[in-house]
Amino acid sequence: MEANLTTNCCWNQDLTSLSGCPNLREGDEALLFDWKRRIAERCFDCPRFLEDMHEFRRQGESSAELLLLSLEKIRQARAENQDLRGELEVRNREFQFLHEVTSSIQSSLDLDEIISLALTAVTAGQGFGFNRAILMLVDAERQNLNGYIALGPRRLEEAQRIWHEIEENHYSLQDMARVFYERKIVAEKEKFRDLLDLLSLPLSRRDHLFIDTLNGTTSRHILNLWSEFNIDRHQVEALEVNELVLVPLRSRNRRIGLLLADNIVNRRPISSKDLQSLESFALPMAFALERGALHEQLQKELGKVREANQLLKQQQEQIVRMEKMALVGQIVSHFSHSIRNPLMIIGGFARSLSRQIPEGDERRRYIESIVRETRRLEEVLQDALNYSESLYPTFDLWDVNQVLTTVYGSLLEDIELAGISVCLDLAPGLPPVRIDFKQISYSLRSILNNALEAMPNGGTLTLSSQRVDAELLIRISDTGPGIAPDILRLIDSPFSSTNGKTSGLSLSLCSRILQSHGGRMHIGNAETGGAVISLYLPLA
């Protein structure tokens, strides 16, 4: 046989040395005499070996024919094996991708973050590669299937811009999901708002394509959406595609939502493999969405519990405060009644003496001072009694300018005797406010008394009113020494006034009165000297 072969064939070469075969390399010495292994690993793919086998067949060697048939079968098996190996690698990559995405969405409790990761995986080229994904969720009341969000371009130009941005920034799947969640999720909802609203529908429409798919357990691959009779025509027009896949999202027996995916831009046909991959992803996605929705609901319920607890705490504090105020009221009432009788005797006796002493007598001035102070104490005692008898305000609409001028008029004699000039700056046409006349009058009188006591040698008292947004502002300022910082810290203590003396229920009670009216009181000092007290009352 060897004598009949051409000199170019393998069998005419020295097959016992590495140089005799072009397919042998350094380190292949073990193959020189192991013919089975040598033929399997080196000769099957060698063109010179095939030429020899064909030459043997032409010369009538039956073994060459059998060997050629075996070689063809082996080649086919190798090709099939290579295809299977390639498919296995693809499957391994898909499983690795599914594991990565599933781990990511399972590690988050934020519903929007889970949705961002999931829809990015559906639409990214590194993921399932669909052009557009639409997520519809069942509402909390279990009454409607609402379009929640969509991700993807609406036009080719937008798609090219997005693809260029991804390629330019070398975004990974995690990077794209993070950028979408942090920067684009709100804008994406608004971009597809019209489409999402059109796709939303009640769960009672069981014959509709979306609800029928949601209620079932299998996905749908629609090749021609226009031929489907159980979907509204305006919804088909809004989707702008013929081919569409619908994957139900269910967690055990609970309906979570519906995932729609299509290739609206490149119009690439959707294969059965694409649908299978999306179905594999649907189950962990549904679990993650359910967990995120339950966590969101839990946070809302927890917020309600916290609000209820805070309200209960405030009510408890109010009860304690009311008990304290009731005790204060009892003490004030007891002392007021105990002091009133001797005070009336002193006042009446002083007034009787003043009528008997002629004008110009030095003693008359002292007697009038006694009369004035007793009258003032009687008014303060009456205010204290009025306040202690009314822990809850009796509201009515009043003109603040009228209340202010009434209180100012009741103290006019004391103001003139103290040599204090008054500047009234009351804004006209102010709307009425809902207040308790007695309590606000008491607060204004207490503040004015503090101002008078702060200016024993005279000064200027300024009363102003104005509207500030949804509030009315009453501002009272004097030119006294101002309020010391240590006194400002004692404002919350009952019966502490700016000069250490008792003045009604003090600025502390005035602040509480304002709070019971839904208002507030600000106490401070002016840069030029003197105290400035601002009362803010909400408009009705």
Side-chain angles (χ1 to χ4, degrees):
M1 182 192 303
E2 295 181 4
N4 296 328
L5 293 176
T6 64
T7 58
N8 292 328
C9 292
C10 290
W11 302 107
N12 291 332
Q13 309 297 323
D14 182 9
L15 301 180
T16 61
S17 65
L18 296 179
S19 60
C21 179
N23 293 320
L24 294 178
R25 297 179 295 275
E26 291 294 333
D28 287 345
E29 288 80 2
L31 298 177
L32 287 175
F33 302 102
D34 189 346
W35 288 100
K36 291 182 179 180
R37 183 180 168 194
R38 180 172 177 175
I39 291 173
E41 294 183 11
R42 294 290 186 268
C43 297
F44 277 162
D45 295 324
C46 178
R48 294 173 61 182
F49 180 78
L50 290 177
E51 290 177 5
D52 287 348
M53 294 301 104
H54 284 295
E55 184 64 28
F56 282 146
R57 186 175 62 179
R58 284 194 296 270
Q59 294 181 9
E61 289 289 338
S62 60
S63 59
E65 180 72 23
L66 182 61
L67 185 58
L68 284 173
L69 290 174
S70 300
L71 286 175
E72 186 63 26
K73 293 291 185 182
I74 291 173
R75 270 198 195 86
Q76 292 177 0
R78 279 188 171 184
E80 292 176 359
N81 184 46
Q82 190 69 23
D83 293 339
L84 290 173
R85 186 174 297 175
E87 186 175 349
L88 181 62
E89 290 178 358
V90 171
R91 289 295 181 185
N92 285 336
R93 286 196 299 269
E94 287 182 357
F95 283 132
Q96 184 178 0
F97 165 74
L98 282 173
H99 175 72
E100 177 185 353
V101 175
T102 302
S103 300
S104 298
I105 63 176
Q106 296 295 337
S107 63
S108 176
L109 290 174
D110 185 274
L111 183 59
D112 281 344
E113 185 177 5
I114 293 171
I115 291 172
S116 300
L117 286 165
L119 294 192
T120 301
V122 173
T123 56
Q126 304 171 26
F128 299 108
F130 287 92
N131 292 167
R132 181 176 66 179
I134 303 171
L135 178 63
M136 304 181 71
L137 296 178
V138 178
D139 61 6
E141 293 76 20
R142 318 298 294 175
Q143 297 295 323
N144 299 292
L145 179 65
N146 296 326
Y148 186 79
I149 192 173
L151 176 60
R154 301 198 74 161
R155 296 292 181 268
L156 178 60
E157 296 76 13
E158 184 182 359
Q160 291 174 342
R161 179 182 57 79
I162 294 173
W163 295 335
H164 177 72
E165 179 184 354
I166 294 172
E167 182 179 358
E168 187 179 45
N169 293 280
H170 305 288
Y171 283 144
S172 65
L173 187 66
Q174 298 285 348
D175 293 334
M176 286 186 283
R178 177 178 51 79
V179 170
F180 176 72
Y181 172 65
E182 294 177 354
R183 306 179 193 172
K184 299 182 178 180
I185 188 167
V186 176
E188 206 74 8
K189 286 181 180 180
E190 291 304 316
K191 182 177 76 174
F192 288 100
R193 177 53 54 197
D194 56 339
L195 175 62
L196 297 174
D197 290 341
L198 280 174
L199 297 181
S200 301
L201 70 163
L203 292 177
S204 57
R205 292 189 59 183
R206 297 178 180 274
D207 58 337
H208 193 279
L209 175 64
F210 294 168
I211 306 302
D212 187 37
T213 306
L214 177 65
N215 292 334
T217 58
T218 57
S219 303
R220 300 276 185 95
H221 183 185
I222 309 299
L223 296 176
N224 185 4
L225 196 58
W226 287 95
S227 63
E228 295 294 321
F229 64 89
N230 54 351
I231 182 173
D232 299 339
R233 294 299 93 184
H234 67 275
Q235 292 176 330
V236 178
E237 293 173 357
L239 286 169
E240 301 181 284
V241 291
N242 287 327
E243 191 176 13
L244 179 72
V245 292
L246 300 91
V247 182
L249 302 174
R250 300 176 68 92
S251 176
R252 297 176 292 275
N253 294 324
R254 183 182 177 86
R255 296 174 298 180
I256 305 300
L258 187 67
L259 177 63
L260 286 67
D262 58 51
N263 290 320
I264 188 174
V265 176
N266 58 20
R267 305 291 175 177
R268 178 179 63 85
I270 299 173
S271 64
S272 58
K273 183 180 175 181
D274 294 332
L275 181 57
Q276 291 173 2
S277 300
L278 206 57
E279 288 175 334
S280 301
F281 181 59
L283 185 60
M285 180 180 173
F287 282 143
L289 289 174
E290 181 186 31
R291 191 182 66 255
L294 291 175
H295 179 264
E296 189 175 87
Q297 184 179 357
L298 178 62
Q299 291 301 312
K300 290 180 180 178
E301 296 299 325
L302 182 60
K304 293 179 181 178
V305 172
R306 286 174 177 169
E307 290 179 2
N309 184 57
Q310 184 66 24
L311 180 60
L312 180 61
K313 183 179 178 181
Q314 292 175 356
Q315 290 175 343
Q316 290 174 340
E317 292 175 352
Q318 184 177 2
I319 290 172
V320 173
R321 187 164 58 247
M322 288 173 61
E323 290 176 350
K324 291 180 179 179
M325 294 303 296
L327 178 60
V328 170
Q330 292 176 5
I331 295 173
V332 170
S333 178
H334 173 72
F335 279 103
S336 297
H337 287 294
S338 300
I339 295 172
R340 171 168 287 182
N341 289 336
L343 189 62
M344 291 180 64
I345 294 174
I346 294 171
F349 183 70
R351 280 188 288 271
S352 177
L353 287 176
S354 66
R355 287 193 294 268
Q356 297 176 10
I357 298 175
E359 293 286 346
D361 194 322
E362 182 68 20
R363 292 174 300 173
R364 185 180 180 87
R365 185 168 62 86
Y366 295 115
I367 296 298
E368 289 177 349
S369 176
I370 294 172
V371 171
R372 184 171 64 254
E373 291 301 325
T374 54
R375 184 179 68 250
R376 181 179 174 186
L377 284 175
E378 289 174 359
E379 292 174 354
V380 170
L381 286 174
Q382 186 60 45
D383 286 340
L385 284 172
N386 290 338
Y387 183 80
S388 64
E389 292 171 358
S390 177
L391 292 178
Y392 295 98
T394 302
F395 292 106
D396 201 355
L397 291 175
W398 288 91
D399 182 355
V400 292
N401 288 342
Q402 179 185 353
V403 179
L404 192 56
T405 53
T406 300
V407 176
Y408 162 67
S410 67
L411 298 174
L412 185 58
E413 183 179 350
D414 295 336
I415 292 172
E416 292 175 350
L417 288 174
I420 296 173
S421 60
V422 178
C423 177
L424 289 175
D425 183 16
L426 307 180
L430 292 178
V433 290
R434 190 173 296 277
I435 59 174
D436 181 283
F437 182 84
K438 289 184 179 180
Q439 291 194 1
I440 295 299
S441 297
Y442 164 77
S443 300
L444 293 174
R445 185 175 290 108
S446 297
I447 295 171
L448 291 176
N449 281 329
N450 279 350
L452 296 181
E453 293 173 359
M455 298 182 291
N457 299 320
T460 303
L461 180 66
T462 303
L463 309 177
S464 66
S465 64
Q466 60 178 322
R467 178 173 181 170
V468 180
D469 297 329
E471 294 177 310
L472 288 186
L473 169 61
I474 301 174
R475 180 170 286 134
I476 301 173
S477 60
D478 59 55
T479 56
I483 302 177
D486 57 335
I487 299 299
L488 285 174
R489 291 193 294 270
L490 295 175
I491 290 300
D492 291 332
S493 300
F495 299 105
S496 66
S497 68
T498 58
N499 56 9
K501 301 177 182 179
T502 60
S503 176
L505 293 179
S506 80
L507 297 178
S508 173
L509 296 184
C510 295
S511 177
R512 293 185 183 277
I513 290 173
L514 265 293
Q515 291 177 10
S516 69
H517 284 68
R520 53 197 169 93
M521 183 171 74
H522 179 266
I523 304 173
N525 294 320
E527 295 181 359
T528 57
V532 179
I533 300 179
S534 302
L535 310 180
Y536 294 87
L537 291 169
L539 291 174

